[in-house]
Every structure is written in structure tokens, then in C-alpha cells.
Amino acid sequence: HVQLVESGGGSVQAGGSLRLSCVVSGYTDNTYCMGWFRQAPGKEREGVGAVYTGGGSSFYADSVKGRFTISQDNAKNTLYLQMNGLEPEDTATYYCAAGRPGYGCYAGLQTWGYRYWGQGTQVTVS
């Protein structure tokens, strides 16, 4: 079955950087949509950015454009989220998510478009 495991969270001062990783296993099809989401206490889960593993550009929420970058290493089945210029408002639990195999990012950054989720990793910016 499909598993997603995030790592790389931590505490950082405002203006700092972190890189999150998400290792994916269990897919029989190498093309699917992968996204990063976050959820702060008392708030709904929101999309940060996503990319179609079969090719194409990544896309981002307005709140992180120009600061966050998604990349992927297909050989390692790993998705990354490079976060620069972190702000206290970025404090949240970050989740990676993956969509149905063979489908693109038809849901954009809507949570309903993603079938599989990691356990989350905490990012705290002070």
C-alpha cells in the first residue's frame, strides 16, 4: 500500500530556512500529483504547493510564492519543500499528500483531490 513519510521539520527563527522531505512508497504508477499542505492550530488544512510527477511546473499558494519551492528526486521517490524566508505565520504541521495514480493535479490545492497523506512534521517559526 502507499506510504508517505515526511521529515525535516523543526524550529527556526524568522527569516530562516528549512527543507522538508517526503519519501513515497507503494505506487505502481510513477505519475500522480503530489502536494504539500499545512495546518496551524485552530485552522483548516491549506494547500502550500503541488507538482505532477509526470512532468510540468509546480504551483503554489499565494502566501508562499517566491519563498517556497517544490522539487522532486524520482530516483529516490522523494518530494522536497524548500522553505526560505520563513515567517511566524508559517508555523504549522506540514503534510505531504499524493493523488490517484495516473491522474494529474486536477484538484489543485484542494485537499479532496489527494488520496494518501503522511503523518505530518512540525514547523515552528519564532
Side-chain angles (χ1 to χ4, degrees):
H1 64 285
V2 176
Q3 284 189 309
L4 286 71
V5 180
E6 304 101 331
S7 61
S11 296
V12 64
Q13 291 189 336
S17 299
L18 282 173
R19 188 178 79 157
L20 306 183
S21 300
C22 175
V23 179
V24 183
S25 62
Y27 265 102
T28 57
D29 188 317
N30 288 329
T31 57
Y32 45 90
C33 186
M34 285 212 67
W36 286 99
F37 292 77
R38 65 186 183 185
Q39 188 166 20
K43 294 188 176 182
E44 292 187 356
R45 191 168 297 187
E46 64 174 358
V48 172
V51 67
Y52 177 55
T53 63
S57 299
S58 52
F59 53 95
Y60 303 90
D62 288 343
S63 57
V64 305
K65 277 181 183 176
R67 300 188 299 124
F68 291 11
T69 303
I70 290 174
S71 61
Q72 53 184 328
D73 185 334
N74 291 335
K76 295 182 179 179
N77 293 327
T78 302
L79 186 75
Y80 301 99
L81 180 67
Q82 177 67 43
M83 304 185 293
N84 299 327
L86 283 162
E87 304 167 351
E89 294 73 22
D90 296 317
T91 295
T93 300
Y94 283 70
Y95 300 88
C96 67
R100 297 172 64 186
Y103 285 74
C105 297
Y106 58 91
L109 295 177
Q110 302 299 312
T111 56
W112 56 262
Y114 297 80
R115 173 173 288 188
Y116 305 101
W117 293 83
Q119 82 287 351
T121 185
Q122 178 66 36
V123 171
T124 302
V125 185
S126 59

